[in-house]
Amino acid sequence: MKGRILGIAGPTVSVDIPGLKLYDMVQVGKAGLTGEVVRLESGRAVVQVYEDTRGLAAHEPAFGMDVPLTVELGPGLLGGMFDGLQRPLERLRDQAGPFLTSGAPLLPLDRDRVWRFAPARQAGDEVHAGELLGEVQEGALLHPVSAPCAGRVARLCAGDFTLGESLGEMADGRQIPVIVPWPVRKARPYRRKLSPTQPLVTGQRIIDFLFPLALGGTAIFPGGFGTGKTVLEQAVAKFAALDIVVYVGCGERGNEMAELLEEFVTLGDPRSDLPLMQRTIVVVNTSNMPVAAREASIYTAVTMAEYYRDLGYHVLLLADSISRWAEALREISASLEEMPGEEGYPTYLTSRLAAFFERAGVVETLGGKVGSLSMILSVSPPGGDFTEPVTQACLRAAGAFFMLDTSLAQRRHFPAINWFQSYSLYQANLVAHFEARVSSRWGELQRSCQRLLQREETLREVTEIVGIEGLQDTDRLVMSVAERIRQEFLCQNAFTEDAFSAPEQTLARIAELIGFYDQAESRLQQGVLLEELLKE
Ligand SMILES: Nc1ncnc2c1ncn2[C@@H]1O[C@H](COP(=O)(O)OP(=O)(O)OP(=O)(O)O)[C@@H](O)[C@H]1O
Ligand SMILES: [Mg+2]
């Protein structure tokens, strides 16, 4: 399907290609820039171009590719670094240098890389559709390959192969696919959704203990400038107990991304001893990259995450920050002259975000396995104002909310999660799990901890009037223990050994603090002086 460019307005280009469908991919100009059809009119289609449109001229050729924006799924995604259109950044750099050139054609998965395939079946076997044919060793993970249809296996490779060659064929001539193309805007299918009942252990005490996350759950970290969103997301990416992490650097600083990558290449995964990078997929669209591809980047990332979920793994998608994605959406919507909603964001912002969150969950896959996709998105509300549209839209859809508090960050209390404003809808379900696996006192200690923090807050108002000396000893004890809870338990420095705390350690630490409080309180009753108790 061929045509020409009619007009160009920033990242949107109108073309006269006949027969286009909404969301079809289009290549525009001599440079072959990639774009997507976002509006159709009679005789004219509007294309949102994902690359820099500078230098593009009217009347240059345009091609309709007759497919929607699609990614490649298969072995080799793990450890990979891609841009928002799934172009492999490392191989691009090796080929064309460190500066991204527009329209460089490179397939996302390396066709020359050698993989090892361990067959479970052999030529001549009768199999049913979706039956396991064998596994590819991908880093520490086994990557299952299933039969594309029912029938007899005509040929199946054993040992080394490359993605460029075929793995085998069925008797009816059908190839056994290792690379699966998938349109990014369409959620991948599963048999059924299950309710999230297992915890996602992050290693952050305040999260795991007070506001636990569930595997397959969704959470947001909204916080103003410098409140620790990036540090927290990266700490979770490093330590969370999961098979695979997909990290989307969405419109944030390039140097932070570079540091993260460097760390991931050198740091080992405690569970497999392989570099962390081997279980990580990074999608980058940093602030210095073309803004339009940012809108697509979260879909590219979530599709890869769903793919590993479908292989039966537990996957976490982290995006920093979804606000930059919403800004890209706003920019595109404005250039299409759509009717603006609140603060200029398109009216469909909430439904788009909700549909995105909907792609998380625990599922029974088509192959009968259980896999999960959890999501944690950071939100950067301008001026730290949580009533702005993006935070509000996320709030409605997410299962947990960690409010990052500017005043805590200023006092260098990190992670600056406000313990009064944050919540997790998974908490009630997960307490039972922790009580069964870690300690039967989990729920009781959680309530004691919350009660002490709450009493401290009330007493703080009193001390502002009467001073600390005006308090009774029992109240001063509460103030003293609550302070220790804040400093020794809730604070967790991401740059020291303390960065990760296993649930058992978390529980031991809070049990010690609450135990001290209970004992001290009963000794106060017996007439021991507070000063002496606090000295111990
Ligand atoms: N858990 C932590 N432990 C120790 N220091 C932290 C922690 N979290 C944040 N900090 C400190 O706060 C600084 C700012 O954190 P970060 O860059 O994550 O903020 P941000 O919310 O991502 O900011 P921005 O809105 O600019 O993206 C860090 O450089 C670090 O010094
Ligand atoms: Mg940041």
Side-chain angles (χ1 to χ4, degrees), residues 334-411:
S335 70
L336 292 174
E337 295 173 10
E338 289 172 340
M339 168 103 90
E342 227 182 314
E343 292 192 18
Y345 288 105
T347 45
Y348 47 79
L349 171 74
T350 310
S351 58
R352 281 274 170 97
L353 269 171
F356 182 71
F357 276 110
E358 204 43 50
R359 292 176 75 164
V362 189
V363 303
E364 184 182 325
T365 68
L366 293 181
K369 294 181 179 164
V370 173
S372 73
L373 168 52
S374 320
M375 287 187 189
I376 302 182
L377 314 179
S378 77
V379 187
S380 346
D385 169 16
F386 295 110
T387 60
E388 60 92 37
V390 182
T391 314
Q392 288 300 315
C394 286
L395 260 180
R396 254 169 266 164
F401 163 73
F402 299 94
M403 185 194 133
L404 298 183
D405 191 330
T406 311
S407 71
L408 287 176
Q410 276 164 353
R411 281 186 266 149

Coordinates of all heavy atoms in Angstrom, one line a residue, residues 334-411:
A334 N -3.0 16.8 21.5 CA -3.0 18.2 21.2 C -2.7 18.4 19.7 O -3.4 19.2 19.0 CB -2.1 19.0 22.0
S335 N -1.7 17.6 19.2 CA -1.4 17.8 17.8 C -2.5 17.2 16.9 O -2.6 17.6 15.7 CB 0.0 17.2 17.5 OG -0.1 15.8 17.5
L336 N -3.4 16.4 17.4 CA -4.5 15.9 16.6 C -5.7 16.8 16.8 O -6.8 16.6 16.3 CB -4.9 14.5 17.1 CG -3.9 13.4 16.8 CD1 -4.4 12.1 17.5 CD2 -3.8 13.2 15.3
E337 N -5.5 17.9 17.6 CA -6.6 18.9 17.9 C -7.8 18.2 18.5 O -8.9 18.5 18.1 CB -6.9 19.7 16.6 CG -5.7 20.5 16.2 CD -5.9 21.2 14.9 OE1 -7.1 21.2 14.3 OE2 -5.0 21.8 14.4
E338 N -7.6 17.2 19.4 CA -8.7 16.6 20.0 C -9.2 17.5 21.1 O -8.5 18.4 21.6 CB -8.3 15.3 20.7 CG -8.1 14.2 19.6 CD -7.5 12.9 20.2 OE1 -6.9 13.0 21.3 OE2 -7.5 11.9 19.5
M339 N -10.4 17.3 21.6 CA -11.0 18.1 22.6 C -10.2 17.8 23.9 O -10.2 16.7 24.4 CB -12.5 17.7 22.8 CG -13.1 18.3 24.1 SD -14.0 19.7 23.7 CE -15.6 18.9 23.5
P340 N -9.6 18.8 24.6 CA -8.9 18.5 25.8 C -9.8 18.3 27.0 O -10.8 19.0 27.1 CB -8.0 19.7 25.9 CG -8.7 20.8 25.2 CD -9.6 20.2 24.2
G341 N -9.3 17.5 27.9 CA -10.0 17.3 29.2 C -9.3 18.1 30.2 O -8.7 19.1 29.9
E342 N -9.3 17.6 31.5 CA -8.7 18.3 32.6 C -7.2 18.5 32.4 O -6.5 17.6 32.0 CB -8.9 17.4 33.8 CG -9.4 18.2 35.0 CD -9.4 17.2 36.2 OE1 -10.0 16.1 36.0 OE2 -9.0 17.6 37.3
E343 N -6.7 19.7 32.6 CA -5.3 20.1 32.4 C -4.8 19.7 31.1 O -3.6 19.5 30.9 CB -4.5 19.5 33.6 CG -4.8 20.2 34.9 CD -3.8 19.9 36.0 OE1 -2.7 19.5 35.7 OE2 -4.2 20.1 37.2
G344 N -5.6 19.7 30.1 CA -5.2 19.5 28.7 C -5.0 18.0 28.4 O -4.7 17.7 27.2
Y345 N -5.1 17.1 29.4 CA -5.0 15.7 29.0 C -6.2 15.2 28.3 O -7.3 15.8 28.5 CB -4.9 14.8 30.3 CG -3.6 15.0 31.0 CD1 -3.4 15.8 32.2 CD2 -2.4 14.4 30.5 CE1 -2.2 15.9 32.8 CE2 -1.2 14.6 31.2 CZ -1.1 15.3 32.3 OH 0.1 15.5 32.9
P346 N -6.1 14.3 27.4 CA -7.2 13.8 26.6 C -8.3 13.2 27.5 O -7.9 12.7 28.6 CB -6.7 12.8 25.6 CG -5.4 12.4 26.2 CD -4.8 13.5 27.0
T347 N -9.5 13.3 27.1 CA -10.6 12.8 28.0 C -10.5 11.3 28.2 O -11.1 10.8 29.2 CB -12.0 13.1 27.4 OG1 -11.9 12.8 26.0 CG2 -12.3 14.6 27.5
Y348 N -9.8 10.6 27.3 CA -9.7 9.1 27.5 C -8.5 8.7 28.4 O -8.1 7.5 28.4 CB -9.6 8.4 26.1 CG -8.7 9.0 25.2 CD1 -7.3 8.8 25.2 CD2 -9.1 9.8 24.1 CE1 -6.4 9.3 24.3 CE2 -8.2 10.4 23.2 CZ -6.9 10.2 23.3 OH -6.0 10.7 22.4
L349 N -7.8 9.7 29.0 CA -6.7 9.3 29.9 C -7.0 8.2 30.9 O -6.3 7.2 31.0 CB -6.1 10.6 30.6 CG -5.1 10.3 31.7 CD1 -3.7 10.0 31.0 CD2 -4.9 11.5 32.6
T350 N -8.1 8.4 31.6 CA -8.5 7.5 32.7 C -8.7 6.1 32.1 O -8.2 5.1 32.7 CB -9.7 8.0 33.5 OG1 -9.5 9.3 33.8 CG2 -10.0 7.2 34.7
S351 N -9.5 6.0 31.0 CA -9.8 4.7 30.5 C -8.6 4.0 29.9 O -8.4 2.8 30.1 CB -10.9 4.8 29.5 OG -10.5 5.6 28.4
R352 N -7.7 4.8 29.3 CA -6.4 4.2 28.8 C -5.6 3.6 29.9 O -5.1 2.5 29.8 CB -5.5 5.3 28.1 CG -5.9 5.6 26.7 CD -5.3 4.7 25.7 NE -5.9 5.0 24.4 CZ -5.4 5.8 23.5 NH1 -4.2 6.3 23.7 NH2 -6.0 6.0 22.4
L353 N -5.5 4.4 31.0 CA -4.7 3.9 32.2 C -5.3 2.7 32.8 O -4.6 1.7 33.1 CB -4.6 5.0 33.2 CG -3.3 5.9 33.0 CD1 -3.4 7.1 34.0 CD2 -2.1 5.2 33.3
A354 N -6.7 2.7 32.9 CA -7.3 1.6 33.5 C -7.1 0.4 32.7 O -6.9 -0.7 33.2 CB -8.8 1.9 33.7
A355 N -7.2 0.5 31.4 CA -7.0 -0.6 30.5 C -5.6 -1.2 30.6 O -5.4 -2.4 30.5 CB -7.3 -0.2 29.0
F356 N -4.6 -0.3 30.8 CA -3.3 -0.7 31.0 C -3.1 -1.5 32.3 O -2.5 -2.6 32.3 CB -2.3 0.5 31.0 CG -0.9 0.2 31.1 CD1 -0.2 -0.4 30.0 CD2 -0.2 0.4 32.3 CE1 1.1 -0.8 30.1 CE2 1.1 0.0 32.4 CZ 1.8 -0.6 31.3
F357 N -3.6 -1.0 33.4 CA -3.6 -1.7 34.7 C -4.2 -3.1 34.6 O -3.9 -4.0 35.2 CB -4.3 -0.9 35.8 CG -3.4 0.2 36.4 CD1 -3.6 1.5 36.2 CD2 -2.4 -0.2 37.2 CE1 -2.8 2.5 36.8 CE2 -1.6 0.7 37.8 CZ -1.8 2.1 37.6
E358 N -5.3 -3.1 33.7 CA -6.0 -4.4 33.6 C -5.2 -5.5 33.0 O -5.5 -6.7 33.2 CB -7.2 -4.1 32.6 CG -8.4 -4.9 32.7 CD -8.8 -5.2 34.1 OE1 -9.0 -4.3 34.9 OE2 -9.0 -6.4 34.3
R359 N -4.0 -5.2 32.4 CA -3.2 -6.2 31.9 C -2.3 -6.9 32.9 O -1.7 -7.9 32.7 CB -2.3 -5.7 30.7 CG -3.1 -5.3 29.5 CD -2.4 -4.6 28.4 NE -1.6 -5.5 27.6 CZ -1.0 -5.2 26.4 NH1 -1.3 -4.1 25.9 NH2 -0.3 -6.1 25.8
A360 N -2.4 -6.4 34.2 CA -1.7 -7.1 35.3 C -2.6 -8.2 35.8 O -3.8 -8.2 35.5 CB -1.4 -6.1 36.4
G361 N -2.1 -9.1 36.6 CA -2.9 -10.1 37.2 C -2.2 -11.5 37.3 O -1.2 -11.7 36.7
V362 N -2.8 -12.4 38.1 CA -2.4 -13.8 38.1 C -3.3 -14.5 37.1 O -4.5 -14.3 37.2 CB -2.6 -14.4 39.5 CG1 -1.9 -15.8 39.6 CG2 -2.1 -13.5 40.6
V363 N -2.7 -15.3 36.3 CA -3.6 -16.0 35.3 C -3.2 -17.5 35.2 O -2.1 -17.9 35.5 CB -3.4 -15.4 33.9 CG1 -3.8 -13.9 33.9 CG2 -2.1 -15.6 33.3
E364 N -4.2 -18.2 34.8 CA -3.9 -19.6 34.3 C -3.7 -19.4 32.8 O -4.6 -18.9 32.1 CB -5.2 -20.5 34.6 CG -4.9 -21.9 34.3 CD -6.1 -22.8 34.5 OE1 -6.8 -22.5 35.5 OE2 -6.3 -23.7 33.7
T365 N -2.6 -19.8 32.3 CA -2.2 -19.6 30.9 C -3.0 -20.5 30.0 O -3.5 -21.5 30.5 CB -0.7 -19.7 30.7 OG1 -0.4 -21.1 30.9 CG2 0.1 -18.9 31.7
L366 N -2.9 -20.3 28.7 CA -3.5 -21.2 27.8 C -2.9 -22.6 27.9 O -3.6 -23.6 27.6 CB -3.4 -20.6 26.4 CG -4.1 -19.3 26.1 CD1 -3.9 -18.9 24.6 CD2 -5.6 -19.5 26.4
G367 N -1.7 -22.6 28.3 CA -1.0 -23.9 28.4 C -1.3 -24.6 29.8 O -0.7 -25.6 30.1
G368 N -2.1 -23.9 30.6 CA -2.5 -24.5 31.9 C -1.5 -24.2 33.1 O -1.7 -24.8 34.1
K369 N -0.5 -23.3 32.8 CA 0.4 -23.0 33.9 C -0.2 -21.8 34.7 O -1.1 -21.1 34.2 CB 1.7 -22.6 33.4 CG 2.4 -23.8 32.7 CD 3.8 -23.3 32.2 CE 4.5 -24.5 31.6 NZ 5.6 -24.0 30.8
V370 N 0.5 -21.4 35.8 CA 0.1 -20.2 36.5 C 1.2 -19.2 36.4 O 2.4 -19.5 36.6 CB -0.2 -20.5 38.0 CG1 -0.5 -19.2 38.7 CG2 -1.4 -21.4 38.1
G371 N 0.9 -18.0 35.9 CA 1.9 -17.0 35.8 C 1.3 -15.7 36.3 O 0.1 -15.6 36.4
S372 N 2.2 -14.7 36.6 CA 1.6 -13.5 37.1 C 2.4 -12.3 36.5 O 3.6 -12.4 36.1 CB 1.7 -13.4 38.6 OG 3.0 -13.2 39.0
L373 N 1.7 -11.2 36.4 CA 2.3 -9.9 35.9 C 1.9 -8.9 37.0 O 0.7 -8.6 37.1 CB 1.8 -9.6 34.5 CG 2.1 -8.2 34.0 CD1 3.5 -7.8 34.1 CD2 1.6 -8.1 32.5
S374 N 2.8 -8.4 37.7 CA 2.6 -7.3 38.7 C 3.1 -6.0 38.1 O 4.0 -6.0 37.2 CB 3.3 -7.6 40.0 OG 3.3 -8.9 40.3
M375 N 2.5 -4.9 38.6 CA 3.0 -3.6 38.0 C 3.2 -2.6 39.1 O 2.4 -2.5 40.1 CB 1.9 -3.0 37.2 CG 1.6 -3.6 35.9 SD 0.4 -2.6 34.9 CE 0.2 -3.7 33.6
I376 N 4.3 -1.9 39.1 CA 4.5 -0.8 40.0 C 4.9 0.4 39.1 O 5.9 0.4 38.4 CB 5.6 -1.1 41.0 CG1 5.3 -2.3 41.8 CG2 5.9 0.1 41.9 CD1 6.3 -2.7 42.9
L377 N 4.1 1.5 39.2 CA 4.4 2.6 38.4 C 4.6 3.8 39.3 O 3.9 4.0 40.3 CB 3.1 3.0 37.5 CG 2.5 1.8 36.8 CD1 1.3 2.3 36.0 CD2 3.4 1.1 35.8
S378 N 5.6 4.6 38.9 CA 5.8 5.8 39.7 C 5.1 7.0 39.0 O 4.9 6.9 37.8 CB 7.3 6.2 39.9 OG 7.8 6.7 38.7
V379 N 4.6 7.9 39.8 CA 3.8 9.0 39.2 C 4.5 10.3 39.7 O 4.9 10.4 40.9 CB 2.4 9.0 39.7 CG1 1.5 10.1 39.0 CG2 1.8 7.6 39.6
S380 N 4.8 11.3 38.8 CA 5.4 12.5 39.3 C 4.4 13.7 39.2 O 4.4 14.4 38.2 CB 6.6 12.8 38.5 OG 7.1 11.8 37.7
P381 N 3.5 13.9 40.2 CA 2.6 15.0 40.1 C 3.3 16.3 40.1 O 4.1 16.5 41.0 CB 1.7 14.8 41.3 CG 2.4 13.8 42.2 CD 3.4 13.1 41.4
P382 N 3.0 17.2 39.2 CA 3.7 18.5 39.2 C 3.4 19.2 40.5 O 2.3 19.3 41.0 CB 3.1 19.3 38.0 CG 2.4 18.3 37.2 CD 2.0 17.1 38.1
G383 N 4.5 19.7 41.2 CA 4.3 20.5 42.4 C 3.8 19.6 43.6 O 3.4 20.1 44.6
G384 N 3.9 18.2 43.4 CA 3.5 17.3 44.5 C 2.0 17.4 44.8 O 1.6 17.1 45.8
D385 N 1.3 17.9 43.8 CA -0.2 18.0 44.0 C -0.9 16.7 43.6 O -1.1 16.5 42.4 CB -0.7 19.2 43.2 CG -2.2 19.3 43.1 OD1 -2.8 18.6 43.9 OD2 -2.7 20.0 42.2
F386 N -1.4 16.0 44.6 CA -2.0 14.7 44.3 C -3.4 14.7 43.7 O -3.9 13.7 43.4 CB -2.0 13.8 45.5 CG -0.6 13.4 46.0 CD1 -0.1 14.0 47.2 CD2 0.2 12.6 45.2 CE1 1.2 13.7 47.6 CE2 1.5 12.3 45.7 CZ 2.0 12.8 46.8
T387 N -3.9 15.9 43.6 CA -5.3 16.0 43.0 C -5.2 16.1 41.5 O -6.2 16.2 40.8 CB -6.0 17.2 43.5 OG1 -5.3 18.4 43.2 CG2 -6.2 17.1 45.0
E388 N -4.0 16.2 40.9 CA -3.9 16.3 39.5 C -4.4 15.1 38.7 O -4.4 14.0 39.3 CB -2.5 16.8 39.1 CG -1.4 15.8 39.4 CD -1.1 14.8 38.3 OE1 -1.1 15.2 37.2 OE2 -0.8 13.6 38.7
P389 N -4.8 15.2 37.5 CA -5.5 14.1 36.8 C -4.7 12.8 36.7 O -5.4 11.7 36.8 CB -5.7 14.7 35.3 CG -5.4 16.1 35.4 CD -4.7 16.4 36.6
V390 N -3.4 12.8 36.5 CA -2.7 11.5 36.3 C -2.7 10.7 37.6 O -3.0 9.5 37.6 CB -1.3 11.7 35.7 CG1 -0.6 10.3 35.5 CG2 -1.3 12.5 34.5
T391 N -2.4 11.4 38.7 CA -2.4 10.7 40.0 C -3.8 10.1 40.3 O -4.0 9.0 40.7 CB -2.0 11.6 41.1 OG1 -0.9 12.3 40.7 CG2 -1.7 10.9 42.4
Q392 N -4.8 11.0 40.0 CA -6.2 10.6 40.3 C -6.6 9.4 39.5 O -7.2 8.4 40.0 CB -7.2 11.7 40.1 CG -7.0 12.8 41.2 CD -7.4 12.3 42.5 OE1 -8.3 11.6 42.7 NE2 -6.5 12.6 43.5
A393 N -6.2 9.4 38.2 CA -6.6 8.3 37.3 C -5.9 7.0 37.7 O -6.5 5.9 37.7 CB -6.2 8.6 35.9
C394 N -4.7 7.1 38.2 CA -3.9 5.9 38.6 C -4.5 5.4 39.9 O -4.7 4.2 40.1 CB -2.5 6.2 38.9 SG -1.5 6.5 37.4
L395 N -4.9 6.3 40.8 CA -5.5 6.0 42.1 C -6.7 5.1 42.0 O -6.9 4.1 42.7 CB -5.9 7.2 42.8 CG -5.0 7.8 43.9 CD1 -5.6 9.0 44.5 CD2 -4.8 6.7 45.0
R396 N -7.5 5.4 41.0 CA -8.7 4.7 40.8 C -8.5 3.3 40.3 O -9.3 2.4 40.6 CB -9.6 5.4 39.7 CG -10.8 6.1 40.4 CD -11.4 7.0 39.4 NE -10.9 8.3 39.4 CZ -11.1 9.3 38.5 NH1 -11.7 9.0 37.4 NH2 -10.6 10.5 38.6
A397 N -7.3 3.1 39.6 CA -7.1 1.7 39.1 C -6.2 0.9 39.9 O -6.3 -0.4 39.8 CB -6.6 1.9 37.6
A398 N -5.3 1.5 40.7 CA -4.2 0.7 41.3 C -4.7 0.0 42.6 O -5.6 0.6 43.3 CB -3.0 1.5 41.6
G399 N -4.1 -1.1 43.0 CA -4.5 -1.8 44.2 C -3.7 -1.4 45.4 O -4.1 -1.7 46.5
A400 N -2.6 -0.7 45.2 CA -1.9 -0.2 46.4 C -1.3 1.2 46.0 O -1.0 1.5 44.9 CB -0.7 -1.1 46.7
F401 N -1.2 2.0 47.0 CA -0.8 3.4 46.8 C 0.2 3.8 47.9 O -0.1 3.7 49.1 CB -2.1 4.2 47.0 CG -2.0 5.7 47.2 CD1 -1.6 6.5 46.2 CD2 -2.3 6.3 48.4 CE1 -1.4 7.9 46.4 CE2 -2.1 7.6 48.6 CZ -1.7 8.4 47.6
F402 N 1.4 4.2 47.5 CA 2.4 4.6 48.4 C 2.7 6.0 48.2 O 3.3 6.4 47.3 CB 3.7 3.8 48.1 CG 3.5 2.3 48.3 CD1 3.2 1.5 47.2 CD2 3.6 1.7 49.5 CE1 3.0 0.2 47.3 CE2 3.4 0.4 49.7 CZ 3.1 -0.4 48.6
M403 N 2.2 6.8 49.1 CA 2.4 8.2 49.0 C 3.7 8.7 49.4 O 4.1 8.5 50.6 CB 1.3 9.0 49.8 CG 1.4 10.5 49.5 SD 0.4 11.3 50.7 CE 1.6 12.6 51.2
L404 N 4.5 9.2 48.5 CA 5.9 9.6 48.9 C 5.7 11.1 49.3 O 5.2 11.9 48.6 CB 6.8 9.5 47.7 CG 7.1 8.1 47.2 CD1 8.1 8.0 46.1 CD2 7.5 7.2 48.4
D405 N 6.2 11.3 50.5 CA 5.9 12.6 51.2 C 7.1 13.5 51.2 O 8.2 13.2 51.6 CB 5.6 12.2 52.7 CG 5.1 13.3 53.5 OD1 5.4 14.4 53.2 OD2 4.3 13.0 54.4
T406 N 6.9 14.7 50.6 CA 8.0 15.7 50.5 C 8.6 16.0 51.8 O 9.9 16.1 51.9 CB 7.5 17.0 49.8 OG1 6.8 16.5 48.6 CG2 8.7 17.8 49.3
S407 N 7.8 16.2 52.9 CA 8.4 16.6 54.1 C 9.2 15.5 54.8 O 10.3 15.7 55.4 CB 7.3 17.0 55.1 OG 6.5 16.0 55.5
L408 N 8.9 14.2 54.5 CA 9.7 13.1 55.0 C 11.0 13.1 54.3 O 12.1 12.9 54.8 CB 9.0 11.7 54.8 CG 7.9 11.4 55.8 CD1 7.2 10.1 55.4 CD2 8.4 11.3 57.2
A409 N 11.0 13.3 52.9 CA 12.2 13.3 52.1 C 13.1 14.5 52.6 O 14.3 14.3 52.6 CB 11.8 13.4 50.6
Q410 N 12.5 15.6 52.9 CA 13.3 16.7 53.3 C 14.0 16.4 54.7 O 15.1 16.8 54.9 CB 12.5 18.0 53.5 CG 12.3 18.7 52.2 CD 11.1 19.7 52.2 OE1 10.4 19.8 53.2 NE2 11.0 20.4 51.2
R411 N 13.4 15.6 55.5 CA 14.0 15.2 56.8 C 14.9 14.0 56.5 O 15.4 13.4 57.5 CB 12.9 14.9 57.8 CG 12.3 16.1 58.4 CD 11.4 15.6 59.5 NE 10.0 15.5 59.0 CZ 9.1 14.7 59.5 NH1 9.4 13.8 60.4 NH2 7.9 14.7 59.0

